[in-house]
């Protein structure tokens, strides 16, 4: 995936792309993957880095949504369970099954969750990844050694999926790129181009790295910008009403020994009626989430003190060792692009997570809502609008069977697993330059060869791309990422031919970003 080669494709201003997609998060990448599976010419433009926003800040779960089942959103759960099964098959190196345990303290909860999760199993059908079951108090303690035992009756075990969100985004981008799509990061859409009838025919584009401007033509333009969708809608029509209500969710990352074992903990009802997860992930424990209304969308949202306190207090109610602010290695916040509720309603947890595709008078197609698990189906539903926009019926979608870059059922052990079949090539890089075998940080297994790989093959352009989304150090241990930054940026500069001024600017930018991941 070579950025310069892809940028050169924009020089031909006579070319008319079938689909131009604005946004390189899970939604935009899902559209690109589906469109390329139908043999279309595809251009994807992301103003920052792939999954820089919400798509790298999830709870790391590929799930049907037990909570949505409780709310009666059966169709969303059915769709998500089907897509969960496909993703576990098509990206087996990045998504895998994860056992969860719900600790039970009342007879009513035992009946409620045992029955509810049997329905969840049944809905997954042949794509089910494990059978839910009741386990005794002793078995619950053996599997969750740090769980509070007072009043504990036992637990209900069920199975869902877990994944690495940012790594999956990069792998989808690589998959679409290899199939012929033109995928670009740090390429901002400056304006929409319309004909005399007011129909969109293309885009004005700015390369944020090289500072060049381009004009591109497209038969259909897709707005897949998540919480920033209103900006594109208002670029199309300044009178367009706001459609998106950003809702913030935060996660705290701490040492795994706060939970113990390899099972995840699911707390089905917190004091404000939400669900809290504590999930083992890359050797740490990810605990979240919250649901807090925010008015303005931001690329780097910050966790609020009240959110951090809520997660710590809720977790402390279930764990023998109470986590404190000092135990938090990193905190990260993401914004959900929820449909703006009707006047007077502010309960974001009750807003459906189903996706919507909206067609504007100008022909702009906007994809909103949805969840990571259903990214492919969201893409398919969006590309289906091609006929309405252009009058030409597209080929049938084949994305349901597309294997994602690196897919293998036997990934290497340890942190190499996320690379799948690409791990061998990174080992070969390290062999060719033994100095690249050096660890980036003493507490992490990642080596310098992975930085070179990220630049050459994964379109990493900035220090933040490498330490936050190619290697997940920033959200696993923010201080470790800050400490690693000088070594990583020096290697990047050597590889990319950058000077000291670039190094200084990157370090300053990264420090500013990383500060938001530390709890002061």
């Amino acid at each position: 995936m070579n950025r310069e080669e892809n940028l050169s494709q924009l020089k031909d201003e006579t070319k008319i792309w079938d689909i131009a997609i604005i946004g390189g998060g899970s939604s935009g990448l899902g559209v690109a993957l589906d469109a390329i599976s139908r043999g279309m010419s595809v251009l994807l433009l992301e103003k920052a880095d792939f999954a820089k926003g919400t798509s790298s800040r999830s709870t790391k779960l590929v799930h049907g949504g037990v909570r949505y089942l409780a709310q009666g959103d059966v169709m969303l759960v059915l769709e998500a369970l089907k897509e969960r099964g496909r993703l576990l098959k098509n990206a087996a190196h990045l998504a895998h099954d994860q056992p969860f345990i719900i600790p039970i303290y009342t007879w009513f909860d035992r009946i409620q969750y045992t029955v509810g999760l049997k329905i969840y199993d049944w809905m997954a059908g042949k794509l089910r990844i494990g059978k839910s079951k009741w386990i005794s108090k002793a078995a619950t303690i053996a599997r969750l050694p740090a769980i509070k035992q007072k009043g504990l009756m036992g637990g209900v075990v069920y199975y869902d999926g877990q994944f690495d969100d940012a790594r999956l985004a990069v792998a989808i981008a690589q998959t679409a790129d290899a199939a012929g799509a033109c995928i670009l990061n740090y390429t901002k859409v400056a304006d929409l181009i319309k004909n005399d009838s007011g129909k969109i025919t293309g885009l004005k584009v700015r390369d944020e790295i090289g500072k060049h401007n381009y004009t591109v033509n497209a038969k259909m333009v897709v707005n897949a910008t998540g919480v920033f969708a209103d900006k594109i809608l208002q670029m199309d029509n300044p009178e367009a009403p706001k459609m998106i209500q950003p809702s913030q969710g935060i996660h705290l990352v701490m040492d795994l020994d706060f939970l113990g074992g390899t099972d995840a903990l699911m707390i089905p009802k917190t004091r404000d009626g939400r669900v809290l997860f504590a999930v083992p992930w890359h050797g740490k424990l990810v605990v979240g989430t919250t649901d807090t209304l925010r008015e303005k969308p931001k690329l780097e949202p910050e966790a609020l003190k009240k959110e951090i306190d809520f997660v710590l207090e809720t977790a402390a109610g279930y764990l023998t060792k109470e986590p404190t602010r000092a135990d938090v290695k990193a905190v990260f916040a993401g914004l959900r692009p929820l449909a703006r509720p009707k006047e007077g309603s502010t309960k974001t947890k009750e807003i459906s997570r189903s996706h919507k595709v909206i067609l504007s008078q100008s022909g702009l197609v906007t994809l909103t809502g949805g969840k990571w698990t259903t990214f492919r189906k969201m893409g398919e539903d969006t590309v289906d609008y091609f006929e309405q926009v252009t009058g030409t019926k597209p080929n049938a979608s084949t994305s349901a069977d597309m294997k994602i870059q690196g897919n293998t059922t036997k990934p290497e052990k340890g942190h190499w697993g996320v690379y799948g079949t690409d791990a061998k090539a990174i080992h070969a890089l390290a062999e060719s330059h033994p100095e690249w075998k050096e660890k980036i940080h003493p507490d992490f297994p990642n080596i310098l060869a992975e930085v070179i790989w990220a630049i050459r093959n994964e379109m990493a352009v900035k220090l933040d791309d490498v330490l936050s989304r190619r290697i997940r150090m920033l959200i696993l241990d923010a201080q470790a990422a800050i400490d690693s930054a000088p070594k990583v940026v020096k290697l990047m500069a050597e590889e990319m031919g950058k000077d000291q001024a670039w190094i200084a600017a990157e370090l300053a930018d990264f420090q500013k970003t990383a500060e938001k991941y530390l709890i002061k």
Side-chain angles (χ1 to χ4, degrees):
M1 195 161 65
N2 185 298
R3 192 171 184 276
E4 290 307 313
E5 283 178 16
N6 285 3
L7 261 180
S8 68
Q9 295 184 53
L10 302 191
K11 289 175 183 171
D12 179 6
E13 296 194 355
T14 62
K15 182 180 172 86
I16 303 174
W17 301 86
D18 288 329
I19 291 187
I21 302 149
I22 312 170
S26 59
S27 301
L29 290 164
V31 177
L33 188 74
D34 190 75
I36 206 72
S37 85
R38 303 182 192 219
M40 293 175 159
S41 59
V42 179
L43 172 65
L44 180 141
L45 304 162
E46 163 56 47
K47 72 173 180 181
D49 185 32
F50 310 117
K52 163 79 173 170
T54 308
S55 297
S56 61
R57 302 156 191 266
S58 73
T59 313
K60 320 306 177 196
L61 301 181
V62 184
H63 60 146
V66 174
R67 174 158 72 95
Y68 311 133
L69 183 60
Q71 291 173 358
D73 204 338
V74 174
M75 295 313 292
L76 174 62
V77 176
L78 278 169
E79 180 179 87
L81 286 170
K82 186 184 282 186
E83 292 301 313
R84 180 190 72 176
R86 285 173 170 154
L87 190 53
L88 264 64
K89 184 177 69 177
N90 292 333
H93 61 308
L94 285 165
H96 57 86
D97 60 322
Q98 169 67 52
F100 287 77
I101 298 176
I102 302 176
I104 301 295
Y105 295 88
T106 69
W107 280 104
F108 178 75
D109 280 352
R110 175 174 178 172
I111 295 164
Q112 181 183 9
Y113 295 116
T114 302
V115 172
L117 288 162
K118 284 295 175 195
I119 295 168
Y120 193 62
D121 290 349
W122 171 76
M123 287 173 73
K126 62 184 180 184
L127 293 172
R128 190 180 71 195
I129 54 177
K131 250 183 169 177
S132 62
K133 62 180 179 181
W134 167 260
I135 57 172
S136 67
K137 178 179 177 178
T140 304
I141 295 166
R143 291 177 69 163
L144 295 176
I147 197 73
K148 275 207 172 153
Q149 297 178 23
K150 188 180 179 184
L152 182 70
M153 296 173 65
V156 179
V157 180
Y158 76 98
Y159 294 83
D160 243 324
Q162 187 194 59
F163 77 136
D164 187 320
D165 49 9
R167 291 290 329 169
L168 179 62
V170 170
I172 296 165
Q174 287 177 301
T175 307
D177 182 271
C182 180
I183 307 287
L184 285 162
N185 57 3
Y186 296 101
T187 319
K188 184 179 180 180
V189 171
D191 207 355
L192 306 171
I193 300 169
K194 297 182 180 180
N195 62 17
D196 293 340
S197 308
K199 298 293 183 185
I200 293 173
T201 59
L203 304 165
K204 288 192 183 297
V205 177
R206 172 86 170 160
D207 168 17
E208 299 280 53
I209 305 297
K211 307 300 182 190
H212 292 295
N213 296 321
Y214 300 92
T215 299
V216 299
N217 305 301
K219 296 174 186 174
M220 172 168 145
V221 172
V222 175
N223 172 14
T225 53
V227 289
F228 299 101
D230 282 336
K231 287 194 174 183
I232 305 297
L233 283 163
Q234 283 162 0
M235 191 185 283
D236 174 40
N237 172 15
E239 304 300 314
K242 285 193 172 179
M243 287 180 47
I244 303 298
Q245 173 61 68
S247 164
Q248 180 162 293
I250 75 149
H251 295 82
L252 306 182
V253 181
M254 53 193 77
D255 286 332
L256 197 51
D257 60 10
F258 275 95
L259 191 61
T262 56
D263 295 291
L265 169 68
M266 198 266 236
I267 300 167
K269 208 158 193 182
T270 61
R271 63 177 155 80
D272 69 346
R274 306 190 197 284
V275 171
L276 198 84
F277 292 101
V279 186
W281 190 72
H282 289 327
K284 302 285 185 193
L285 187 68
V286 177
V287 186
T289 184
T290 55
D291 215 337
T292 310
L293 285 179
R294 303 307 301 266
E295 270 316 301
K296 283 191 175 178
K298 288 182 178 177
L299 204 51
E300 277 292 350
E302 288 184 70
L304 304 175
K305 181 183 181 295
K306 68 176 183 180
E307 291 180 297
I308 294 166
D309 292 344
F310 168 76
V311 173
L312 286 172
E313 285 166 19
T314 306
Y318 288 82
L319 304 175
T320 52
K321 182 184 173 187
E322 293 190 6
T324 67
R325 296 171 80 87
D327 297 311
V328 178
K329 298 284 187 185
V331 54
F332 61 93
L335 296 173
R336 306 174 188 89
L338 302 184
R340 189 168 278 273
K342 288 172 185 164
E343 287 297 318
S345 173
T346 56
K347 292 187 177 179
T348 61
K349 66 177 183 283
E350 292 171 7
I351 299 171
S352 173
R353 264 46 171 183
S354 296
H355 62 276
K356 287 180 184 169
V357 185
I358 299 140
L359 178 59
S360 300
Q361 280 188 329
S362 63
L364 178 68
V365 178
T366 299
L367 170 59
T368 65
K371 54 209 285 278
W372 237 125
T373 306
T374 57
F375 83 97
R376 188 213 62 82
K377 183 66 169 68
M378 289 158 61
E380 182 183 330
D381 289 351
T382 305
V383 179
D384 281 345
Y385 273 73
F386 188 77
E387 185 175 11
Q388 268 184 262
V389 175
T390 68
T392 304
K393 189 176 175 69
N395 294 333
S397 169
T398 61
S399 59
D401 298 314
M402 280 183 81
K403 301 297 182 194
I404 302 301
Q405 173 78 21
N407 182 61
T408 173
T409 54
K410 293 182 178 175
E412 278 193 47
K413 298 288 184 195
H415 87 283
W416 294 108
V418 296
Y419 295 104
T421 54
D422 286 340
K424 283 182 185 172
I426 305 173
H427 293 316
L429 258 186
E431 289 301 325
S432 70
H433 289 75
E435 68 274 21
W436 293 347
K437 290 182 181 179
E438 183 188 340
K439 274 187 173 187
I440 292 170
H441 188 279
D443 295 344
F444 282 80
N446 308 88
I447 62 173
L448 292 174
E450 294 172 67
V451 177
I452 301 295
W453 178 262
I455 294 165
R456 292 182 185 177
N457 299 280
E458 297 176 348
M459 220 179 270
V461 176
K462 294 177 175 283
L463 180 56
D464 181 52
D465 303 344
V466 173
L467 284 175
S468 182
R469 288 170 296 281
R470 306 306 184 277
I471 293 163
R472 307 308 307 274
M473 198 181 293
L474 180 61
I475 68 166
L476 290 167
D477 188 331
Q479 190 57 53
I482 291 167
D483 295 342
S484 303
K487 182 191 287 188
V488 173
V489 80
K490 183 172 178 285
L491 182 61
M492 290 181 74
E494 289 169 9
E495 173 67 18
M496 297 163 68
K498 301 293 185 180
D499 59 15
Q500 283 299 322
W502 182 86
I503 290 176
E506 280 297 305
L507 283 172
D509 280 353
F510 185 72
Q511 181 71 33
K512 193 175 171 185
T513 299
E515 291 281 338
K516 296 178 181 179
Y517 291 72
L518 291 167
I519 288 186
K520 310 288 192 297

